[in-house]
Amino acid sequence: MMQSFRKYLALTLISLVISLPAVASVKVTASLDSASIMMGRVDTLRLIVDREAAVQGVFPLFNKVMPGGYVTMFNDTVELGAPIIDTVSREGGRVIERLRVPVQVFDSGFYRFPSFVYLTSVDSVGSNEVELSVVPVKVGENDAISDYRDISDPSDRSFWDWMPDWLYDLWWMWLILMAVIVAAIYFGRKYRKTGKFITLPEKPQPKPWTVALERLENLKSKNLWENGMEKEYFTQLTDILRDYLNDRFGINAMEMTSRQIMQTLADQADVRDHRGYVRKILDVADFVKFAKVRPLPADNVEAYENAVNFVKETIEKEPVIDNDYQDSSDINTESKIAKGGDR
């Protein structure tokens, strides 16, 4: 009986020894010097690593230190500086490392820092979570903030960093100014060349024969010769004719005598066959103006009709379009128009 009890007791002790947890090889503790700071101020994060002397490890988070000597968290709102090892103590074969990490937050709010992981060759251990409340700075737009440093310039300044803020912010104004300068140069040069800032498209001038026929119609409506004003009638009639010769054929008829006009018409092939109309008008007009002969009513009418016929028969013809795809009906229609229509 006694022997059975001893055996039972030994088994129980062995089970208790086996079930006892082994002393942890690594333990990480995190804390903040202050649980609440003002935005932009610097707090200190303290990490304590309690490990066996044979166990070596690192914090992977601090392997991502940027060129400025810090790592970021919470979408770059929080910056953690490179850790500084304050003390390393040894107690009973264990090592205690004390790390001091600067913490700076650039936006107000409540931050819960996740567990800081310590990685060894065989395992990873996380610290406890810490919380930080960041209070906003209540100042006006132009108020000075005491005990705060000015914004430092970047180490690798670009062209835009050298540019003053007022110049950078008003880029649209400089763009408009450049556009105004370019426009001023362009229109200034145009004004020196043409005498105008803006050249509007010229209104198309009426054809010489259109002007001449309108003036003849207007002359007819005056009824000059019917009222005994034959000289005024032939003066205006010959002026219309002379202007038409100048505008249509480039003949300066206003400065020519009747003989010079007829000689010039004889030398131009495009009007030579129609000069008979002009000769009859000028002959009657010379008698009326210089010989003071009073023409018959038929002479007045014939002179007008000769002027109208001369203008109509010397109208510049439109170029003929050679269309091989015209059907027979179109060709017949054009033939009828050329002959004066159906009779």
Side-chain angles (χ1 to χ4, degrees):
M1 182 69 177
M2 190 64 178
Q3 187 177 2
S4 298
F5 176 76
R6 290 176 178 174
K7 187 181 293 185
Y8 175 77
L9 182 59
L11 291 174
T12 302
L13 291 174
I14 293 173
S15 298
L16 288 174
V17 171
I18 294 174
S19 62
L20 285 175
V23 178
S25 61
V26 178
K27 182 180 179 181
V28 182
T29 305
S31 64
L32 289 168
D33 283 0
S34 177
S36 177
I37 62 172
M38 186 173 291
M39 183 178 66
R41 298 295 188 185
V42 178
D43 198 355
T44 300
L45 169 69
R46 299 187 184 275
L47 297 173
I48 300 176
V49 180
D50 184 354
R51 61 178 175 81
E52 294 180 356
V55 177
Q56 299 289 334
V58 294
F59 287 96
L61 174 64
F62 298 108
N63 291 337
K64 304 176 182 179
V65 175
M66 302 182 70
Y70 59 89
V71 296
T72 60
M73 300 179 67
F74 300 102
N75 296 324
D76 297 337
T77 304
V78 176
E79 290 185 359
L80 302 179
I84 302 172
I85 300 178
D86 282 342
T87 59
V88 176
S89 60
R90 300 177 182 272
E91 299 177 358
R94 298 185 66 82
V95 175
I96 298 177
E97 296 181 5
R98 303 180 186 275
L99 287 78
R100 180 166 51 88
V101 181
V103 179
Q104 192 169 19
V105 186
F106 299 99
D107 196 5
S108 60
F110 180 80
Y111 296 87
R112 182 188 296 275
F113 289 81
S115 175
F116 294 93
V117 178
Y118 186 79
L119 182 64
T120 68
S121 60
V122 295
D123 198 3
S124 61
V125 181
S127 71
N128 56 296
E129 296 181 353
V130 293
E131 299 174 348
L132 178 63
S133 177
V134 181
V135 180
V137 180
K138 297 181 179 180
V139 293
E141 181 178 356
N142 299 318
D143 294 344
I145 306 176
S146 61
D147 199 23
Y148 274 82
R149 293 184 179 180
D150 292 335
I151 299 174
S152 61
D153 294 328
S155 57
D156 52 344
R157 300 182 68 181
S158 65
F159 169 77
W160 302 109
D161 294 322
W162 289 98
M163 182 178 294
D165 291 341
W166 63 270
L167 184 62
Y168 182 83
D169 295 338
L170 298 178
W171 62 268
W172 54 271
M173 180 184 296
W174 300 109
L175 187 62
I176 293 175
L177 180 60
M178 291 181 64
V180 170
I181 293 174
V182 171
I185 294 174
Y186 171 78
F187 288 110
R189 291 179 176 178
K190 191 169 186 179
Y191 183 80
R192 286 195 296 270
K193 290 181 179 179
T194 63
K196 299 179 180 178
F197 288 109
I198 299 177
T199 304
L200 299 176
E202 295 184 359
K203 183 179 180 180
Q205 297 297 324
K207 300 297 182 179
W209 48 86
T210 302
V211 176
L213 291 175
E214 289 179 354
R215 292 179 65 186
L216 287 170
E217 186 67 27
N218 183 51
L219 175 62
K220 183 179 180 180
S221 66
K222 294 180 180 179
N223 298 323
L224 294 178
W225 68 267
E226 291 90 342
N227 295 318
M229 303 171 65
E230 288 85 355
K231 183 177 180 179
E232 289 79 0
Y233 172 75
F234 275 98
T235 298
Q236 294 187 28
L237 181 63
T238 54
D239 286 345
I240 295 172
L241 184 61
R242 291 172 185 270
D243 287 337
Y244 177 71
L245 291 174
N246 179 71
D247 298 339
R248 173 68 177 86
F249 302 103
I251 300 174
N252 189 17
M254 281 294 185
E255 305 298 330
M256 295 181 180
T257 63
S258 298
R259 179 176 296 180
Q260 291 173 332
I261 293 175
M262 296 308 301
Q263 182 60 46
T264 303
L265 294 177
D267 295 337
Q268 293 195 208
D270 53 350
V271 74
R272 183 184 302 136
D273 296 338
H274 307 284
R275 68 184 186 277
Y277 294 120
V278 179
R279 184 180 62 251
K280 292 179 181 179
I281 297 171
L282 294 178
D283 288 345
V284 177
D286 288 343
F287 276 114
V288 173
K289 290 190 290 183
F290 301 114
K292 298 183 180 180
V293 175
R294 187 170 187 179
L296 297 174
D299 296 329
N300 297 326
V301 175
E302 183 181 7
Y304 178 84
E305 292 177 350
N306 286 334
V308 172
N309 291 334
F310 176 73
V311 173
K312 289 183 176 181
E313 292 181 15
T314 55
I315 292 176
E316 184 178 2
K317 297 180 180 179
E318 297 291 337
V320 178
I321 301 176
D322 186 10
N323 190 349
D324 295 336
Y325 298 97
Q326 286 181 315
D327 56 25
S328 58
S329 61
D330 293 337
I331 296 174
N332 292 334
T333 302
E334 292 176 358
S335 299
K336 292 178 181 179
I337 293 174
K339 294 178 181 180
D342 296 332
R343 298 183 184 276

